[in-house]
Amino acid sequence: MTTDFIKTAVIGHPIAHSKSPLLHNHWISHYGLHGEYKAIDIAPDNLKAGIQALIDDGYTGFNVTVPHKVAIMDLCDELSDIAQEIGAVNTVTIQNGKLYGTNTDAYGFIQNIKENIQKEWHFNNGRALVLGAGGAANAIIYALIEEGVPEIILTNRTREKADTLKSLSPEKITVVDWEERNAACKNTNLIVNSTALGMCGKPPLDIDLSLATRTTLVTDIVYAPLYTDLLQQAQNHEMHIITGIGMLLHQARPGFEMWNGVMPEVNKTIENLILN
Ligand code: ATR
């Protein structure tokens, strides 16, 4: 571990809402490290100059959020295999002025499930239903395939976007129309909401889980509110649920380790810090 002051950040536009500074600065202080993690607003037409300013200021690395996750790829000198597969970067390390980009969203999604599942539940027990086909869905589908999910039913309001995502694994992914989402709950081992529906200020996710079974695990990437309507409905059906906050916390860990040399832990105290 170095004694240098380690500068890190999250870049996005807008960025004021980001929980990442709270999380990273908590870890920096908890592990007695010397550094600071800032939220830096960079407008899309200023991305290249904004990144150069971070390099010139001696930053060690940064997280990338909306709307830069795809655009940053062109500015990276090297990309991890996973970033190339997912087609987006959320974590960048700067070394000797060069940018190394990777993606930890799939890791965050999987770790959240692995830490919270019941013993008898396994990814390869059956098919998964993924709702949504945006950037988050891309990482989630990648993760599900890596974990051995045998079949993925993908549905999205704009069907063409789901059809495009099918290329991640044409033999495993079946696209169904958004209007078929209730019927698609049948015979599922896992149901994932990867859309922003159900988030505070967004429209609700209109879905009926009646055809799913009690062994279906239901999870949501939305964590505000923590218990979304989807998760509450699943609980009413006595299904097992996993909230979305763990994905946010776990995706942050590999970047923190790359920059600070410590793999930070996630626990209830941190969860409450971020949620309150
Ligand atoms: P992210 O990159 O964070 O996943 P995104 O790319 O904007 O964000 O994707 C948002 C997802 O929510 C998409 O699947 C989107 O569906 P479309 O591809 O049809 O836009 C979905 N979504 C957003 N608002 C929706 C709505 N009112 N009804 C159904 N799906 C919606």
Side-chain angles (χ1 to χ4, degrees):
M1 206 183 308
T2 170
T3 52
D4 290 346
F5 189 86
I6 297 177
K7 292 177 171 182
T8 48
V10 56
I11 64 158
H13 183 74
I15 199 62
H17 66 282
S18 174
K19 299 279 190 186
S20 293
L22 191 59
L23 177 60
H24 281 260
N25 288 319
H26 168 85
W27 280 332
I28 287 169
S29 120
H30 178 80
Y31 292 105
L33 302 171
H34 196 46
E36 189 184 12
Y37 183 103
K38 288 187 176 170
I40 300 178
D41 195 314
I42 300 181
D45 57 5
N46 195 37
L47 186 59
K48 194 167 182 201
I51 299 302
Q52 190 56 50
L54 296 183
I55 297 172
D56 296 343
D57 279 353
Y59 272 76
T60 298
F62 55 92
N63 287 121
V64 184
T65 189
V66 178
H68 302 314
K69 283 185 172 188
V70 177
I72 194 75
M73 295 178 80
D74 283 343
L75 301 178
C76 288
D77 298 281
E78 205 183 322
L79 292 169
S80 67
D81 290 347
I82 191 166
Q84 292 182 52
E85 284 269 352
I86 293 173
V89 160
N90 75 336
T91 304
V92 175
T93 298
I94 307 174
Q95 257 183 345
N96 303 321
K98 301 261 184 255
L99 304 186
Y100 169 76
T102 190
N103 191 307
T104 64
D105 285 332
Y107 171 86
F109 175 75
I110 290 300
Q111 282 304 115
N112 185 33
I113 292 198
K114 286 187 173 170
E115 291 223 337
N116 293 292
I117 38 172
Q118 293 169 323
K119 259 208 263 109
E120 62 277 14
W121 192 94
H122 299 282
F123 284 101
N124 57 11
N125 281 356
R127 70 160 68 123
L129 169 61
V130 176
L131 304 157
N138 215 323
I140 288 168
I141 290 170
Y142 175 89
L144 294 177
I145 291 165
E146 284 287 296
E147 292 300 319
V149 169
E151 187 185 357
I152 296 168
I153 310 295
L154 177 60
T155 186
N156 191 51
R157 176 181 60 178
T158 310
R159 185 178 168 124
E160 296 76 51
K161 276 163 81 177
D163 288 333
T164 303
L165 271 192
K166 187 178 159 84
S167 65
L168 279 170
S169 180
E171 66 288 354
K172 283 196 175 176
I173 301 174
T174 304
V175 175
V176 302
D177 285 340
W178 184 241
E179 289 67 33
E180 298 301 316
R181 61 195 180 280
N182 294 341
C185 291
K186 199 173 175 187
N187 292 329
T188 46
N189 181 46
L190 173 68
I191 296 175
V192 185
N193 174 36
S194 81
T195 75
L197 296 175
M199 191 188 290
C200 301
K202 301 267 182 193
L205 170 60
D206 178 13
I207 190 163
D208 181 350
L209 300 176
S210 303
L211 291 176
T213 64
R214 275 174 55 185
T215 57
T216 307
L217 169 64
V218 182
T219 186
D220 204 326
I221 65 159
V222 174
Y223 59 86
L226 189 59
Y227 292 93
T228 58
D229 287 350
L230 172 73
L231 296 182
Q232 288 185 37
Q233 188 187 156
Q235 274 185 321
N236 292 340
H237 286 289
E238 296 179 38
M239 296 165 185
H240 185 49
I241 64 156
I242 296 180
T243 65
I245 184 68
M247 180 175 174
L248 172 79
L249 301 178
H250 282 285
Q251 63 77 30
R253 295 172 64 218
F256 189 90
E257 184 185 31
M258 281 186 259
W259 307 324
N260 297 287
V262 178
M263 186 58 151
E265 287 202 4
V266 160
N267 56 36
K268 276 280 162 209
T269 310
I270 293 171
E271 195 176 304
N272 289 333
L273 174 82
I274 299 303
L275 289 172
N276 294 321

